[in-house]
Amino acid sequence: MGAAKTAPTGYNCWFRPVRFAVPGHCRIVAGGQARAAPRRGQVFSGPSEFSIFSPYLRMTETAATRRARLVLGNWKMHGSLAENASLLAALRAADPASHCEIGVCVPFPYLAQASAALEGSAISWGAQDVSAQAKGAFTGEVSAGMLKEFGCRWALAGHSERRSLHGETDQQVADKASAALAAGLVPVVCVGESLSERESGQTLAVIARQLAPVLALGREAVAGMVLAYEPVWAIGTGLSATPEQAQEVHAAIRAALTELGAPEVRVLYGGSVKAANAASLFAMADIDGALVGGAALVAEEFLRIAAN
């Protein structure tokens, strides 16, 4: 691993000290005191090893603790029965050993088709939204229990298009995630800043605000989720955050998860992900996969992303 790197004295990740605890090993407090260690930020060798250094925290994980890569496709409002049949058949025909864990989030009317086409395969499926309500007079809503009956594993919550076009609040997103969990689904909670927010230096503050009611659900709830960072300015624009820009935000999210006691939660990147840029994004320490939009509609491109 080379020479040990040390964190600058007094450096706090994001907005408060972050504690990393490894059972049976040491504990390091970023920006505070190092316990059971000769100096702050030391790289430890052994079954669990990690380092903390500027400009943000980075976990150096062993194979035993590495988070499995996940690539999810968000079809948005695209597809037809004929188009879907071809796409789903191509995905199912791919050798599972040739790609990481993959899934598709399809429009509500096509859940039965996805279930029938993918049942028994290595590919999971899910929905692009979920109601916070279990049942009742909520015209147009679809409950988590209904999604579960179609074999869904995933339910997106808080995608930027839902936040901006339908006025979903941070608390409503957390309520949807909670409802998904209660039905046995895995909520994929999306967060991200607008271009103006990034340009004004508010990125981390926006992410912290969006995550606050989700993290308030507690460690056990959050441990059952997947998070996705999707900068709004990169969704469907052809623009993409650089790997370093994405990693900075992912590291801040990871720090908050670690403070909560759920560092194992996977954090995906979304925003014009393509086969051409996937490898460089996945090389970042805290990017655990991708939430893919347009490229998920082309089987070959989607599988190439998942193969990185």
Side-chain angles (χ1 to χ4, degrees):
M1 292 180 58
K5 299 179 181 179
T6 59
T9 301
Y11 179 80
N12 287 332
C13 180
W14 204 350
F15 50 84
R16 57 182 173 178
V18 179
R19 293 169 174 80
F20 290 83
V22 183
H25 293 78
C26 65
R27 172 178 289 179
I28 290 183
V29 182
Q33 297 297 315
R35 301 174 185 172
R39 63 182 181 276
R40 186 182 306 126
Q42 181 177 355
V43 176
F44 287 80
S45 297
S48 297
E49 61 181 20
F50 56 87
S51 60
I52 300 176
F53 56 96
S54 173
Y56 38 71
L57 300 183
R58 175 183 177 119
M59 298 294 289
T60 304
E61 300 166 307
T62 63
T65 60
R66 189 172 298 121
R67 298 172 299 274
R69 183 172 300 157
L70 171 64
V71 173
L72 294 177
N74 175 14
W75 289 9
K76 305 192 178 186
M77 199 172 71
H78 293 290
S80 67
L81 289 174
E83 292 172 350
N84 301 346
S86 177
L87 175 53
L88 292 168
L91 294 178
R92 177 161 187 148
D95 180 0
S98 69
H99 57 72
C100 66
E101 181 182 1
I102 62 176
V104 291
C105 293
V106 307
F108 291 137
Y110 300 133
L111 284 173
Q113 183 185 26
S115 176
L118 299 176
E119 183 69 36
S121 75
I123 305 171
S124 54
W125 59 94
Q128 299 169 17
D129 189 29
V130 60
S131 176
Q133 309 299 326
K135 62 180 179 179
F138 302 102
T139 301
E141 293 288 284
V142 177
S143 74
M146 294 173 180
L147 299 180
K148 189 67 174 178
E149 287 194 321
F150 282 91
C152 289
R153 182 179 180 190
W154 316 101
L156 302 187
H159 190 281
S160 66
E161 290 156 4
R162 300 292 309 179
R163 292 177 186 265
S164 62
L165 300 177
H166 298 273
E168 291 186 3
T169 66
D170 300 332
Q171 185 59 56
Q172 287 174 325
V173 171
D175 293 342
K176 289 186 173 194
S178 183
L181 286 169
L185 301 176
V186 179
V188 181
V189 178
C190 304
V191 297
E193 84 284 7
S194 67
L195 182 59
S196 63
E197 289 167 337
R198 169 163 283 275
E199 290 179 337
S200 61
Q202 300 178 63
T203 295
L204 296 187
V206 169
I207 302 304
R209 188 206 75 219
Q210 293 173 336
L211 280 179
V214 175
L215 299 180
L217 295 174
R219 189 205 66 78
E220 184 176 355
V222 174
M225 303 180 187
V226 167
L227 302 184
Y229 166 57
E230 292 195 302
V232 178
W233 49 271
I235 298 175
T237 63
L239 301 174
S240 180
T242 66
E244 293 74 21
Q245 286 175 323
Q247 166 60 18
E248 180 181 18
V249 178
H250 278 245
I253 294 172
R254 181 80 56 212
L257 290 170
T258 302
E259 174 73 1
L260 186 67
E264 74 282 3
V265 171
R266 289 182 285 188
V267 185
L268 312 182
Y269 172 77
S272 299
V273 177
K274 303 177 284 290
N277 63 10
S280 60
L281 289 164
F282 295 163
M284 298 293 101
D286 293 297
I287 297 179
D288 302 319
L291 181 57
V292 183
L297 300 174
V298 181
E300 181 181 3
E301 180 76 0
F302 185 62
L303 291 169
R304 285 178 61 201
I305 292 170
N308 280 287

